[in-house]
Amino acid sequence: MTRPLEAIASFNIWMEPWITVERPGGVARCGIEHALLHAHEYIAIYDPSPLVVAGIHRLLTAVLQAALDPQRRADLRKLLAAGCFPPTQIAAFGKQFARRFDLFSPAEPFMQSADLSPYPAKGDKVKTVAYLAQDIPSGTEITHYRHGSDDACVLCPACAAAGLVMIPAFATSGGAGIKPSINGVPPIYVLPGGTSLFESLALSLLTPDYQPRAASDKRDDTWWLRKPLVQKGKEVRDVSYLHSLTFPARRVRLHPERLTANCSRCGRATEWGVRTMVFEMGESRSKDAAVWTDPFAAYRITGNKPPTPIRPQEGKATWREFSGLFLQDAQPATAVSKKQVTMQRPGVLNQMADYGLAGDVRAFPFRCVGLRTDMKAKVFEWLDAGFDVPPKLLADVPSGLVVRNAIAFATTCAGAIGTVFRSAFGGNVKNQERFAVLKSRMQDGYWSSLAEPFRQFVLAIGEPADAESTRRAWIDTVVQQARAAFLETSEAVGDDAVALRERVRAEVHCNNLLNKLKRVELGGETK
Ligand SMILES: [Zn+2]
């Protein structure tokens, strides 16, 4: 099929409207330039998919990082005090690089490889564009949120752009030779919120001290600086920080067509749409390069092993990861034993705490976004959770320790009710535990009943109030909820005479154990 390239529309995401932003009283759509220039008038980026929100957040952060290039604390404080992004610097960036943001540019298509044809060409492995939208079924992936067939999938240019900007942060493994993006199996990303989109983005900018230590200063393949070519399966060693934020983990070329259709993702009528594309393995970071840690992800480090990011886990409420995601680890930096676990919160939070950037607020909002997979190609669900964190907690190690202990106590009690339940009702047959489903439902119910009390507890710890009484109140709540979850679940075991006897005995056992744990935690008794 040959058609003159001029026939292809242009859709330049620097100025064309494709980002939905929330503003007081509604939403608006805009391009990158407008979003940055008016960021102080908007509340946040909006999209039904949190992955798209995080993808756009990273792209805007990368642009601002390049345009403003803050070097020290004073630069960030000055920016925050100004209350908006400087138009001259945004315009200067646009003048130099706007051409690199055209989705359908024949020679420099945004986040695509220009050596591939913009039409399905002989020899190309053509795929459905559904692979770009994690919320539309494609290939072998699990269908969720929407049922439909791949063939029917059409994306409008705005939704195609949204799909492309998810790749650097969320590309997952996908069968033979298809590797995840620079951060491996996607971590939970922690995004600073704030009172406006401006504050959220300004607080995401990093001075060189807080950028990834493994970032290269020798080579810079940031999207708008590099040649618009992505080699299939290429391993790269030297990755700059901005290259990481725009990391082309897939070699893509969209096939735009003039058509009359409604976009399968947003439902809008579109004159230009994308049904097919080339979508194959792009760049990955070579395994022998120094460990890459993303400044928006948190890591768990066991002994002297390489850090592993905190990722969404099945059945684990995100607030249970609160200390790893938000708190500074109090562990000493001395010789670490092989099993000792230390946590490393996102670098962006270290910068906020060290520079005192969270401001004079009761609590600072963060948004956590993740994608739960089977560590391979299967995608199970999104994670999208908001947390309000008092600035005091970000900076103060002792208050952090109180929160850490609070979560540890809740975990101990979860273990206790699980053990009592298993021994009372689980039966004696090895590997054939009775009521295992009930037990796990009990645990889920217990953890979700503690989510709101935990939120209140965190806010109270940030207050100058009596920390000891806050701690005691938390211990009481945890024990109450543990007991309630146990009682409620044991009722479901049955009410014949045998079951009733078992239940009475188990309840006594459970109460005794919880009371003992409480006394120990309050300091009245040793284990
Ligand atoms: Zn659309």
Side-chain angles (χ1 to χ4, degrees):
M1 220 179 335
T2 53
R3 273 174 290 183
L5 287 176
E6 294 86 317
I8 291 185
S10 140
F11 190 86
N12 191 312
I13 62 168
W14 182 256
M15 48 272 203
E16 298 280 353
W18 68 287
I19 301 171
T20 305
V21 282
E22 255 183 277
R23 61 176 177 206
V27 294
R29 295 234 290 177
C30 61
I32 295 172
E33 184 182 31
H34 180 97
L36 298 181
L37 289 176
H38 297 268
H40 52 287
E41 297 162 26
Y42 297 125
I43 299 163
I45 301 162
Y46 172 80
D47 194 276
S49 158
L51 309 186
V52 170
V53 173
I56 294 174
H57 183 99
R58 283 169 85 80
L59 178 67
L60 298 184
T61 300
V63 168
L64 287 166
Q65 191 79 47
L68 309 181
D69 195 21
Q71 292 298 309
R72 54 190 76 82
R73 177 179 188 240
D75 297 344
L76 291 172
R77 291 187 79 106
K78 207 170 124 191
L79 177 64
L80 285 164
C84 64
F85 294 116
T88 44
Q89 277 154 282
I90 307 293
F93 180 93
K95 203 171 164 205
Q96 205 178 351
F97 298 117
R99 64 185 164 82
R100 295 299 306 268
F101 290 83
D102 189 343
L103 274 196
F104 303 141
S105 160
E108 298 177 307
F110 174 73
M111 290 298 280
Q112 298 158 70
S113 198
D115 59 327
L116 291 163
S117 163
Y119 310 111
K122 212 177 160 194
D124 283 349
K125 270 197 193 151
V126 174
K127 284 190 171 163
T128 162
V129 77
Y131 278 93
L132 271 192
Q134 306 252 24
D135 44 0
I136 294 180
S138 71
T140 53
E141 281 172 36
I142 281 186
T143 303
H144 52 168
Y145 304 110
R146 203 185 281 259
H147 296 264
S149 93
D150 288 353
D151 299 340
C153 185
V154 182
L155 291 187
C156 72
C159 289
L164 288 174
V165 303
M166 276 193 285
I167 291 174
F170 295 106
T172 57
S173 317
I178 304 290
K179 295 179 193 165
S181 188
I182 181 143
N183 291 323
V185 175
I188 297 175
Y189 292 98
V190 179
L191 311 179
T195 52
S196 66
L197 177 58
F198 163 76
E199 217 174 279
S200 163
L201 292 170
L203 288 169
S204 301
L205 299 181
L206 300 175
T207 62
D209 285 351
Y210 293 90
Q211 293 174 18
R213 245 178 272 159
S216 170
D217 48 10
K218 278 185 252 146
R219 195 181 164 83
D220 192 356
D221 278 334
T222 304
W223 184 261
W224 44 86
L225 298 177
R226 66 187 284 150
K227 283 194 185 135
L229 295 173
V230 181
Q231 287 178 46
K232 188 173 179 178
K234 166 140 194 207
E235 287 203 350
V236 291
R237 261 194 91 83
D238 294 321
V239 176
S240 72
Y241 173 45
L242 297 191
H243 181 190
S244 82
L245 291 179
T246 57
F247 198 77
R250 295 291 176 271
R251 174 173 149 85
V252 187
R253 188 76 198 242
L254 303 175
H255 300 149
E257 295 172 69
R258 188 185 273 283
L259 41 76
T260 311
N262 286 8
C263 172
S264 310
R265 190 172 173 276
C266 70
R268 286 188 176 84
T270 182
E271 263 182 47
W272 282 90
V274 182
R275 286 188 304 165
T276 60
M277 62 180 175
V278 172
F279 187 78
E280 48 197 22
M281 185 54 205
E283 288 181 3
S284 63
R285 195 152 171 280
S286 58
K287 277 207 175 111
D288 53 349
V291 181
W292 187 270
T293 51
D294 189 277
F296 295 90
Y299 294 84
R300 184 177 280 116
I301 306 163
T302 308
N304 44 18
K305 288 196 196 135
T308 49
I310 298 186
R311 303 187 179 105
Q313 279 179 47
E314 186 181 7
K316 187 167 186 187
T318 315
W319 69 264
R320 294 173 60 189
E321 303 281 15
F322 186 91
S323 32
L325 292 173
F326 296 106
L327 302 180
Q328 199 173 351
D329 202 334
Q331 306 282 0
T334 48
V336 173
S337 76
K338 272 189 183 161
K339 283 187 182 159
Q340 186 166 8
V341 177
T342 52
M343 306 300 289
Q344 183 184 312
R345 70 175 172 189
V348 67
L349 289 168
N350 285 334
Q351 181 184 267
M352 272 178 87
D354 297 349
Y355 288 177
L357 297 178
D360 191 16
V361 288
R362 183 178 178 220
F364 189 89
F366 291 92
R367 186 167 179 180
C368 298
V369 175
L371 176 66
R372 189 166 70 78
T373 69
D374 64 349
M375 302 295 279
K376 297 192 203 89
K378 276 208 180 88
V379 169
F380 294 126
E381 63 192 351
W382 302 327
L383 175 154
D384 188 4
F387 289 95
D388 295 322
V389 187
K392 182 179 161 194
L393 266 188
L394 291 179
D396 181 36
V397 174
S399 327
L401 198 60
V402 176
V403 175
R404 207 182 299 272
N405 289 340
I407 298 174
F409 180 66
T411 309
T412 306
C413 291
I417 56 173
T419 309
V420 175
F421 193 88
R422 168 85 173 85
S423 72
F425 310 116
N428 301 321
V429 187
K430 219 182 169 187
N431 298 331
Q432 281 184 20
E433 182 181 344
R434 283 194 304 160
F435 303 119
V437 174
L438 268 187
K439 190 180 85 181
S440 106
R441 219 178 286 158
M442 170 179 78
Q443 308 272 19
D444 290 350
Y446 163 75
W447 285 114
S448 60
S449 76
L450 284 176
E452 180 54 27
F454 179 75
R455 203 180 76 81
Q456 297 297 340
F457 168 75
V458 163
L459 291 175
I461 289 291
E463 306 284 332
D466 178 9
E468 181 55 18
S469 60
T470 305
R471 187 180 82 92
R472 287 173 169 266
W474 169 256
I475 293 167
D476 279 339
T477 306
V478 168
V479 168
Q480 274 164 24
Q481 295 301 340
R483 192 176 290 145
F486 188 89
L487 284 183
E488 198 189 313
T489 314
S490 58
E491 275 169 23
V493 164
D495 48 12
D496 58 78
V498 178
L500 276 177
R501 251 200 322 274
E502 279 177 353
R503 271 169 52 187
V504 171
R505 229 180 300 149
E507 281 160 22
V508 172
H509 185 186
C510 178
N511 281 343
N512 288 344
L513 184 55
L514 288 172
N515 285 334
K516 171 151 175 124
L517 290 170
K518 179 174 159 179
R519 285 196 303 272
V520 171
E521 189 68 11
L522 288 173
E525 196 178 302
T526 48
K527 283 181 201 177

Short mmCIF file of all heavy atoms in Angstrom, two decimals, residues 457-501:
data_model
loop_
_atom_site.label_atom_id
_atom_site.label_comp_id
_atom_site.label_asym_id
_atom_site.label_seq_id
_atom_site.Cartn_x
_atom_site.Cartn_y
_atom_site.Cartn_z
N PHE A 457 -4.81 7.69 62.49
CA PHE A 457 -3.64 7.53 63.36
C PHE A 457 -2.45 8.31 62.80
O PHE A 457 -1.76 9.03 63.53
CB PHE A 457 -3.32 6.03 63.46
CG PHE A 457 -1.99 5.71 64.07
CD1 PHE A 457 -1.79 5.81 65.45
CD2 PHE A 457 -0.92 5.31 63.28
CE1 PHE A 457 -0.56 5.52 66.01
CE2 PHE A 457 0.31 5.02 63.83
CZ PHE A 457 0.49 5.12 65.20
N VAL A 458 -2.21 8.19 61.49
CA VAL A 458 -1.08 8.88 60.85
C VAL A 458 -1.24 10.39 61.00
O VAL A 458 -0.29 11.11 61.32
CB VAL A 458 -0.98 8.47 59.37
CG1 VAL A 458 -0.13 9.44 58.59
CG2 VAL A 458 -0.41 7.06 59.25
N LEU A 459 -2.48 10.89 60.78
CA LEU A 459 -2.70 12.33 60.92
C LEU A 459 -2.45 12.77 62.36
O LEU A 459 -1.85 13.82 62.62
CB LEU A 459 -4.13 12.69 60.50
CG LEU A 459 -4.42 12.56 59.00
CD1 LEU A 459 -5.90 12.83 58.72
CD2 LEU A 459 -3.55 13.50 58.18
N ALA A 460 -2.90 11.93 63.32
CA ALA A 460 -2.73 12.29 64.74
C ALA A 460 -1.26 12.32 65.13
O ALA A 460 -0.83 13.17 65.92
CB ALA A 460 -3.50 11.31 65.63
N ILE A 461 -0.47 11.41 64.58
CA ILE A 461 0.96 11.39 64.88
C ILE A 461 1.64 12.68 64.40
O ILE A 461 2.61 13.14 64.96
CB ILE A 461 1.63 10.14 64.23
CG1 ILE A 461 1.20 8.87 64.95
CG2 ILE A 461 3.14 10.25 64.21
CD1 ILE A 461 1.75 8.71 66.35
N GLY A 462 1.07 13.25 63.32
CA GLY A 462 1.62 14.50 62.80
C GLY A 462 1.29 15.71 63.66
O GLY A 462 1.92 16.75 63.55
N GLU A 463 0.30 15.55 64.55
CA GLU A 463 -0.10 16.67 65.41
C GLU A 463 0.85 16.76 66.59
O GLU A 463 1.49 15.79 66.97
CB GLU A 463 -1.52 16.44 65.95
CG GLU A 463 -2.58 16.16 64.92
CD GLU A 463 -3.00 17.43 64.18
OE1 GLU A 463 -2.91 18.50 64.79
OE2 GLU A 463 -3.41 17.33 63.02
N PRO A 464 0.90 17.95 67.20
CA PRO A 464 1.77 18.06 68.37
C PRO A 464 1.20 17.33 69.60
O PRO A 464 1.81 17.32 70.65
CB PRO A 464 1.86 19.57 68.62
CG PRO A 464 0.82 20.20 67.77
CD PRO A 464 0.30 19.20 66.80
N ALA A 465 0.03 16.70 69.45
CA ALA A 465 -0.65 16.08 70.59
C ALA A 465 0.20 14.97 71.23
O ALA A 465 1.27 14.63 70.76
CB ALA A 465 -1.98 15.51 70.14
N ASP A 466 -0.35 14.38 72.26
CA ASP A 466 0.31 13.34 73.04
C ASP A 466 0.48 12.06 72.21
O ASP A 466 -0.49 11.35 71.96
CB ASP A 466 -0.54 13.10 74.29
CG ASP A 466 0.03 12.00 75.16
OD1 ASP A 466 1.16 11.56 74.87
OD2 ASP A 466 -0.67 11.61 76.11
N ALA A 467 1.69 11.79 71.80
CA ALA A 467 1.94 10.64 70.92
C ALA A 467 1.64 9.32 71.62
O ALA A 467 1.15 8.38 71.00
CB ALA A 467 3.38 10.66 70.43
N GLU A 468 1.88 9.27 72.94
CA GLU A 468 1.67 8.03 73.67
C GLU A 468 0.19 7.66 73.71
O GLU A 468 -0.17 6.49 73.53
CB GLU A 468 2.26 8.16 75.08
CG GLU A 468 2.14 6.92 75.95
CD GLU A 468 2.75 5.64 75.34
OE1 GLU A 468 3.56 5.73 74.40
OE2 GLU A 468 2.36 4.54 75.81
N SER A 469 -0.68 8.65 73.89
CA SER A 469 -2.10 8.29 73.93
C SER A 469 -2.59 7.91 72.53
O SER A 469 -3.46 7.05 72.38
CB SER A 469 -2.95 9.41 74.54
OG SER A 469 -2.81 10.57 73.79
N THR A 470 -2.01 8.51 71.50
CA THR A 470 -2.36 8.12 70.13
C THR A 470 -1.96 6.67 69.88
O THR A 470 -2.71 5.87 69.31
CB THR A 470 -1.61 9.02 69.12
OG1 THR A 470 -1.90 10.38 69.41
CG2 THR A 470 -2.01 8.72 67.69
N ARG A 471 -0.79 6.32 70.37
CA ARG A 471 -0.29 4.96 70.20
C ARG A 471 -1.19 3.95 70.94
O ARG A 471 -1.56 2.91 70.41
CB ARG A 471 1.15 4.88 70.76
CG ARG A 471 1.87 3.57 70.51
CD ARG A 471 3.27 3.61 71.09
NE ARG A 471 3.27 3.33 72.52
CZ ARG A 471 3.44 2.11 73.05
NH1 ARG A 471 3.62 1.08 72.24
NH2 ARG A 471 3.42 1.92 74.34
N ARG A 472 -1.57 4.29 72.16
CA ARG A 472 -2.43 3.39 72.95
C ARG A 472 -3.79 3.21 72.29
O ARG A 472 -4.34 2.11 72.25
CB ARG A 472 -2.61 3.94 74.37
CG ARG A 472 -1.36 3.78 75.19
CD ARG A 472 -1.45 4.45 76.56
NE ARG A 472 -0.30 4.01 77.34
CZ ARG A 472 -0.31 2.98 78.18
NH1 ARG A 472 -1.43 2.31 78.40
NH2 ARG A 472 0.77 2.61 78.82
N ALA A 473 -4.30 4.31 71.75
CA ALA A 473 -5.61 4.22 71.10
C ALA A 473 -5.51 3.30 69.88
O ALA A 473 -6.43 2.51 69.61
CB ALA A 473 -6.07 5.62 70.67
N TRP A 474 -4.42 3.37 69.16
CA TRP A 474 -4.23 2.49 68.00
C TRP A 474 -4.18 1.03 68.43
O TRP A 474 -4.84 0.17 67.84
CB TRP A 474 -2.94 2.87 67.26
CG TRP A 474 -2.54 1.87 66.21
CD1 TRP A 474 -1.53 0.94 66.31
CD2 TRP A 474 -3.14 1.65 64.93
NE1 TRP A 474 -1.46 0.17 65.18
CE2 TRP A 474 -2.44 0.59 64.31
CE3 TRP A 474 -4.19 2.25 64.25
CZ2 TRP A 474 -2.76 0.11 63.04
CZ3 TRP A 474 -4.52 1.78 62.98
CH2 TRP A 474 -3.80 0.72 62.39
N ILE A 475 -3.45 0.75 69.49
CA ILE A 475 -3.35 -0.63 69.97
C ILE A 475 -4.73 -1.18 70.34
O ILE A 475 -5.10 -2.30 69.98
CB ILE A 475 -2.37 -0.71 71.16
CG1 ILE A 475 -0.94 -0.39 70.67
CG2 ILE A 475 -2.41 -2.08 71.84
CD1 ILE A 475 0.06 -0.13 71.78
N ASP A 476 -5.53 -0.34 71.01
CA ASP A 476 -6.90 -0.74 71.36
C ASP A 476 -7.71 -1.06 70.11
O ASP A 476 -8.41 -2.08 70.05
CB ASP A 476 -7.62 0.40 72.12
CG ASP A 476 -7.23 0.42 73.59
OD1 ASP A 476 -6.77 -0.64 74.08
OD2 ASP A 476 -7.39 1.47 74.23
N THR A 477 -7.62 -0.16 69.13
CA THR A 477 -8.40 -0.35 67.90
C THR A 477 -8.01 -1.64 67.20
O THR A 477 -8.87 -2.40 66.75
CB THR A 477 -8.17 0.84 66.93
OG1 THR A 477 -8.45 2.04 67.63
CG2 THR A 477 -9.04 0.73 65.70
N VAL A 478 -6.71 -1.89 67.11
CA VAL A 478 -6.23 -3.09 66.41
C VAL A 478 -6.79 -4.34 67.10
O VAL A 478 -7.33 -5.25 66.44
CB VAL A 478 -4.68 -3.12 66.38
CG1 VAL A 478 -4.18 -4.48 65.94
CG2 VAL A 478 -4.16 -2.03 65.45
N VAL A 479 -6.71 -4.37 68.43
CA VAL A 479 -7.18 -5.56 69.16
C VAL A 479 -8.69 -5.73 68.98
O VAL A 479 -9.18 -6.84 68.75
CB VAL A 479 -6.77 -5.46 70.65
CG1 VAL A 479 -7.48 -6.51 71.48
CG2 VAL A 479 -5.26 -5.61 70.77
N GLN A 480 -9.42 -4.61 69.06
CA GLN A 480 -10.88 -4.68 68.85
C GLN A 480 -11.22 -5.24 67.48
O GLN A 480 -12.08 -6.11 67.33
CB GLN A 480 -11.50 -3.28 68.94
CG GLN A 480 -11.85 -2.82 70.32
CD GLN A 480 -12.07 -1.30 70.32
OE1 GLN A 480 -12.37 -0.71 69.28
NE2 GLN A 480 -11.91 -0.69 71.48
N GLN A 481 -10.54 -4.73 66.46
CA GLN A 481 -10.85 -5.16 65.09
C GLN A 481 -10.46 -6.63 64.88
O GLN A 481 -11.13 -7.36 64.17
CB GLN A 481 -10.14 -4.28 64.05
CG GLN A 481 -10.61 -2.82 64.03
CD GLN A 481 -12.09 -2.68 63.75
OE1 GLN A 481 -12.73 -3.58 63.22
NE2 GLN A 481 -12.66 -1.54 64.14
N ALA A 482 -9.35 -7.03 65.49
CA ALA A 482 -8.90 -8.41 65.35
C ALA A 482 -9.93 -9.35 65.98
O ALA A 482 -10.34 -10.36 65.40
CB ALA A 482 -7.54 -8.59 66.00
N ARG A 483 -10.40 -8.95 67.15
CA ARG A 483 -11.39 -9.77 67.86
C ARG A 483 -12.69 -9.83 67.05
O ARG A 483 -13.27 -10.90 66.86
CB ARG A 483 -11.65 -9.14 69.23
CG ARG A 483 -12.42 -10.02 70.17
CD ARG A 483 -12.54 -9.37 71.54
NE ARG A 483 -11.27 -9.33 72.24
CZ ARG A 483 -10.89 -8.32 73.06
NH1 ARG A 483 -11.67 -7.29 73.25
NH2 ARG A 483 -9.73 -8.39 73.68
N ALA A 484 -13.11 -8.67 66.54
CA ALA A 484 -14.36 -8.62 65.78
C ALA A 484 -14.26 -9.49 64.52
O ALA A 484 -15.19 -10.23 64.20
CB ALA A 484 -14.67 -7.17 65.40
N ALA A 485 -13.13 -9.40 63.83
CA ALA A 485 -12.97 -10.19 62.60
C ALA A 485 -13.01 -11.68 62.93
O ALA A 485 -13.63 -12.48 62.23
CB ALA A 485 -11.65 -9.83 61.91
N PHE A 486 -12.37 -12.05 64.05
CA PHE A 486 -12.34 -13.46 64.45
C PHE A 486 -13.74 -13.96 64.79
O PHE A 486 -14.17 -15.02 64.32
CB PHE A 486 -11.40 -13.64 65.64
CG PHE A 486 -11.18 -15.08 65.98
CD1 PHE A 486 -10.15 -15.79 65.38
CD2 PHE A 486 -12.01 -15.74 66.88
CE1 PHE A 486 -9.95 -17.14 65.66
CE2 PHE A 486 -11.83 -17.08 67.18
CZ PHE A 486 -10.79 -17.78 66.57
N LEU A 487 -14.46 -13.18 65.60
CA LEU A 487 -15.81 -13.60 66.01
C LEU A 487 -16.73 -13.75 64.82
O LEU A 487 -17.43 -14.75 64.66
CB LEU A 487 -16.40 -12.56 66.97
CG LEU A 487 -15.87 -12.58 68.40
CD1 LEU A 487 -16.61 -11.56 69.26
CD2 LEU A 487 -16.03 -13.98 68.99
N GLU A 488 -16.69 -12.76 63.95
CA GLU A 488 -17.59 -12.76 62.80
C GLU A 488 -17.31 -13.96 61.91
O GLU A 488 -18.23 -14.64 61.44
CB GLU A 488 -17.38 -11.46 62.03
CG GLU A 488 -18.53 -11.14 61.09
CD GLU A 488 -18.18 -9.96 60.20
OE1 GLU A 488 -17.66 -8.95 60.73
OE2 GLU A 488 -18.39 -10.08 58.97
N THR A 489 -16.03 -14.24 61.70
CA THR A 489 -15.69 -15.34 60.80
C THR A 489 -15.98 -16.70 61.43
O THR A 489 -16.44 -17.62 60.76
CB THR A 489 -14.20 -15.25 60.40
OG1 THR A 489 -13.91 -13.92 60.06
CG2 THR A 489 -13.89 -16.16 59.24
N SER A 490 -15.74 -16.81 62.73
CA SER A 490 -15.95 -18.12 63.35
C SER A 490 -17.44 -18.48 63.37
O SER A 490 -17.81 -19.65 63.38
CB SER A 490 -15.34 -18.18 64.76
OG SER A 490 -15.89 -17.18 65.56
N GLU A 491 -18.30 -17.45 63.33
CA GLU A 491 -19.74 -17.73 63.25
C GLU A 491 -20.10 -18.51 61.98
O GLU A 491 -21.05 -19.29 61.95
CB GLU A 491 -20.55 -16.43 63.28
CG GLU A 491 -20.82 -15.94 64.69
CD GLU A 491 -21.38 -14.54 64.72
OE1 GLU A 491 -21.96 -14.10 63.70
OE2 GLU A 491 -21.22 -13.87 65.77
N ALA A 492 -19.31 -18.26 60.93
CA ALA A 492 -19.60 -18.90 59.64
C ALA A 492 -19.17 -20.36 59.60
O ALA A 492 -19.47 -21.08 58.66
CB ALA A 492 -18.94 -18.12 58.52
N VAL A 493 -18.45 -20.80 60.63
CA VAL A 493 -17.96 -22.18 60.64
C VAL A 493 -19.11 -23.17 60.81
O VAL A 493 -19.06 -24.30 60.35
CB VAL A 493 -16.90 -22.33 61.75
CG1 VAL A 493 -16.64 -23.78 62.07
CG2 VAL A 493 -15.62 -21.62 61.35
N GLY A 494 -20.16 -22.72 61.48
CA GLY A 494 -21.31 -23.61 61.67
C GLY A 494 -21.89 -23.44 63.07
O GLY A 494 -21.24 -22.83 63.93
N ASP A 495 -23.11 -23.94 63.29
CA ASP A 495 -23.64 -23.80 64.64
C ASP A 495 -24.26 -25.08 65.17
O ASP A 495 -25.17 -25.08 65.98
CB ASP A 495 -24.62 -22.61 64.73
CG ASP A 495 -25.64 -22.64 63.61
OD1 ASP A 495 -25.74 -23.69 62.92
OD2 ASP A 495 -26.33 -21.62 63.42
N ASP A 496 -23.74 -26.22 64.68
CA ASP A 496 -24.15 -27.46 65.35
C ASP A 496 -23.38 -27.55 66.67
O ASP A 496 -22.51 -26.73 66.95
CB ASP A 496 -23.86 -28.67 64.45
CG ASP A 496 -22.41 -28.76 64.09
OD1 ASP A 496 -21.62 -29.22 64.95
OD2 ASP A 496 -22.04 -28.34 62.97
N ALA A 497 -23.73 -28.54 67.47
CA ALA A 497 -23.19 -28.61 68.83
C ALA A 497 -21.66 -28.65 68.84
O ALA A 497 -21.00 -27.95 69.62
CB ALA A 497 -23.76 -29.83 69.55
N VAL A 498 -21.07 -29.45 67.94
CA VAL A 498 -19.61 -29.58 67.93
C VAL A 498 -18.97 -28.25 67.57
O VAL A 498 -18.05 -27.77 68.23
CB VAL A 498 -19.17 -30.66 66.91
CG1 VAL A 498 -17.66 -30.77 66.86
CG2 VAL A 498 -19.80 -32.00 67.27
N ALA A 499 -19.51 -27.64 66.50
CA ALA A 499 -18.95 -26.39 66.04
C ALA A 499 -19.06 -25.32 67.13
O ALA A 499 -18.14 -24.54 67.37
CB ALA A 499 -19.65 -25.93 64.77
N LEU A 500 -20.21 -25.31 67.82
CA LEU A 500 -20.40 -24.30 68.87
C LEU A 500 -19.36 -24.45 69.97
O LEU A 500 -18.81 -23.47 70.45
CB LEU A 500 -21.81 -24.42 69.46
CG LEU A 500 -22.91 -23.70 68.67
CD1 LEU A 500 -24.27 -23.95 69.32
CD2 LEU A 500 -22.63 -22.19 68.62
N ARG A 501 -19.11 -25.71 70.35
CA ARG A 501 -18.10 -25.95 71.39
C ARG A 501 -16.74 -25.45 70.94
O ARG A 501 -16.03 -24.78 71.66
CB ARG A 501 -18.06 -27.45 71.73
CG ARG A 501 -18.65 -27.78 73.09
CD ARG A 501 -18.18 -29.14 73.64
NE ARG A 501 -18.06 -30.18 72.63
CZ ARG A 501 -19.07 -30.97 72.21
NH1 ARG A 501 -20.29 -30.82 72.71
NH2 ARG A 501 -18.86 -31.90 71.31
#
